[in-house]
Amino acid sequence: MATTSTTRVLVPVSEPTALAGETSLKLPAQDLFRNYVYSVHVIPSEIDVERFKSAVSKAVSRYPHTAGRLVREGDDWRINLKNSPVPVRVAKISPPSSELSATYPFPNDFTVQPGELTQPFLNSEDCGKILVPGTASDSLLGFKLTIWENGTAIGISWSHTCGDAFSMWEFCKCLSAYYVNLDAQESELPLAPSLYRHFFRSPFSRQPEDADFTENFLPRMPHLAKDYDLPPLWQKYAGLDAISDQVQLRLSGGSIEKMYKAANEDSSTGEEKVKVTLNDALAAYLIKVLNQCQADPVHTIILILNYRGSNTKPSTITKFNAPSAQGNVIMVMYSDPLPPSSAFSLPALTRFIRTTINFARDHKFLEKWMSWASYLLGKSSNAGPDGRFQYFGPEEGEVSINSYYGSDWNDIHFGFPGKARYFTSWSSLNYFRIFNANPQEDGLAASPSGVSDADICVRIHKDFSKKFISIITQDFPDTLVE
């Protein structure tokens, strides 16, 4: 793409902010993820830059920690609430007419794109790959607007210290709402964010590090018990990429409805009825197909879980799991060993996934799990001047499910509902990422009954990636494959 001009503007934060009077926000260890989360939103119009800047100013005022700077003093980490202006880079481009396909600026409209294709639409100058505390130039939030005739790509870089992907989704919905209506009222905005950060009680204040941890918790967080310097961690990911192929699938809402129906058809007796979801059935189906391809079925399912509102009892909804809680309100839950008899049964796999989720979200278990997780994350982050980092992917015999299927990123539409498209990047071996599919040219991406189509991105071992695709397309011939 030919860039005709690029400018950088700094957008001041509208004051007073939601944290007026506060000078810093102390961070618990579970918030010390120093990578960035990226998104690119494509709309079929040239964005109004001045209006966008005003929307940024208002949205950041509601989420003022995003305008701060990360600081570390010994083992204490915080965001200094500097209300720093937010960097927005604006690029005007003139692509040849031959490139202006329906999916421009990407070769297709699958949600996950290669990093080398999304990177030009992100503000990588102001937001580095890994956040270094005390680096004034590293903003926690940055934007890039890439504008061409009748189109704009809105690139957003969000520090994980500001919050998880759900926190980013809520912020982006707020930004979009303000762009549509700069005078938006509370009823037009997401829930007001809870900016409270929860410090889980040290596990050592509960009891000694004894069999309770070794037997009940360490098997459910092996990824936190081992950490790495960055170079060997990157090498580990690169090695997995070298032996795998990236697979992109779009399963129709109708196909997902059929999975859900099949997951609920169980002729076995004596099984307690477990209420499952479409998402459970979709994840179970993908694991079942993977098991059909591998010599040995997976023995552990890793679920990346958002635990906001994790228990239906009102007495157990607190600040740390409130529906609007900001921060990294997530856990990486390792299942019990998967019974071999369940490995190829869609109903059994679906029940197993839902039972694991329900167990993980039990209030008492969750608090204790997070106490240990926070302790181990802090231990790694505070190891030496640069800290150390965990590997958040599956090992041999494991599979990860990270689903955003319940949070439609296309709700962030900047005034173009049914036409805005969302993109991101990254995948890894046996790490399934699930999203609502981007809308099609007719504005639809759902079944007649309203079940959304899903985009699935995963890397599958080269030895059986073709078999994996073949099984799915035979089961559901309307599946799109990239």
Side-chain angles (χ1 to χ4, degrees), residues 244-437:
S244 61
D245 294 322
Q246 180 166 294
V247 174
Q248 296 265 37
L249 303 166
R250 177 164 297 161
L251 284 159
S252 69
S255 296
I256 297 168
E257 287 179 300
K258 291 176 183 176
M259 294 173 198
Y260 178 72
K261 183 178 179 181
N264 282 285
E265 290 177 353
D266 189 6
S267 59
S268 64
T269 58
E271 290 280 2
E272 182 182 350
K273 189 67 174 177
V274 178
K275 187 177 181 180
V276 300
T277 67
L278 289 163
N279 205 15
D280 299 336
L282 172 55
Y285 173 77
L286 295 169
I287 294 169
K288 173 179 171 287
V289 175
L290 183 63
N291 285 339
Q292 291 173 250
C293 298
Q294 299 183 148
D296 298 307
V298 299
H299 55 69
T300 302
I301 299 174
I302 306 168
L303 300 165
I304 291 80
L305 302 177
N306 168 359
Y307 59 80
R308 293 170 177 84
S310 60
N311 196 307
T312 55
K313 297 178 181 178
S315 61
T316 61
I317 300 295
T318 64
K319 285 184 176 180
F320 87 81
N321 63 352
S324 61
Q326 291 293 291
N328 289 282
V329 191
I330 50 175
M331 65 188 302
V332 180
M333 179 67 177
Y334 281 63
S335 72
D336 287 329
L338 177 67
S341 59
S342 299
F344 303 98
S345 166
L346 183 60
L349 274 167
T350 307
R351 281 197 309 271
F352 183 82
I353 289 170
R354 177 46 51 181
T355 301
T356 301
I357 293 171
N358 291 343
F359 177 76
R361 287 177 172 165
D362 175 78
H363 192 77
K364 291 182 179 179
F365 173 83
L366 173 61
E367 280 202 89
K368 205 165 188 180
W369 191 97
M370 284 303 303
S371 292
W372 281 111
S374 186
Y375 164 73
L376 291 172
L377 285 164
K379 185 178 178 182
S380 296
S381 296
N382 294 320
D386 299 321
R388 289 171 65 82
F389 302 82
Q390 280 89 2
Y391 167 68
F392 282 90
E395 300 283 4
E396 187 173 353
E398 300 173 346
V399 61
S400 291
I401 302 292
N402 191 357
S403 178
Y404 304 85
Y405 192 56
S407 305
D408 191 350
W409 283 80
N410 292 307
D411 288 345
I412 303 157
H413 55 69
F414 296 95
F416 293 90
K419 296 181 180 179
R421 294 174 290 135
Y422 160 75
F423 300 94
T424 188
S425 60
W426 190 81
S427 62
S428 191
L429 180 66
N430 289 359
Y431 191 108
F432 287 91
R433 303 185 73 197
I434 305 172
F435 299 87
N436 294 73

Side-chain angles (χ1 to χ4, degrees), residues 12-91:
V13 181
S14 178
E15 299 195 48
T17 73
L19 288 173
E22 301 290 335
T23 59
S24 66
L25 183 67
K26 192 173 180 180
L27 295 178
Q30 69 268 17
D31 284 335
L32 300 182
F33 297 102
R34 289 186 282 139
N35 60 304
Y36 283 82
V37 185
Y38 305 107
S39 66
V40 179
H41 306 265
V42 178
I43 60 172
S45 177
E46 296 176 42
I47 200 163
D48 183 330
V49 175
E50 293 304 313
R51 188 176 189 84
F52 181 82
K53 287 160 55 180
S54 297
V56 168
S57 182
K58 284 178 170 282
V60 172
S61 180
R62 198 172 169 92
Y63 297 77
H65 57 299
T66 61
R69 291 292 185 271
L70 182 65
V71 174
R72 176 188 179 186
E73 293 180 350
D75 291 352
D76 292 325
W77 298 70
R78 68 179 186 275
I79 293 175
N80 273 358
L81 301 172
K82 301 170 68 69
N83 291 345
S84 301
V86 180
V88 178
R89 293 184 182 261
V90 182

Side-chain angles (χ1 to χ4, degrees), residues 97-114:
S97 57
S98 59
E99 293 182 7
L100 292 175
S101 65
T103 63
Y104 186 84
F106 299 109
N108 56 61
D109 62 1
F110 280 97
T111 301
V112 178
Q113 296 288 327

Side-chain angles (χ1 to χ4, degrees), residues 1-6 46 90-100 104-105 121 145-152:
M1 60 184 181
T3 302
T4 57
S5 66
T6 303
E46 296 176 42
V90 182
K92 301 285 184 71
I93 62 173
S94 299
S97 57
S98 59
E99 293 182 7
L100 292 175
Y104 186 84
F121 300 100
L145 305 176
T146 304
I147 305 169
W148 61 93
E149 186 177 5
N150 298 321
T152 303

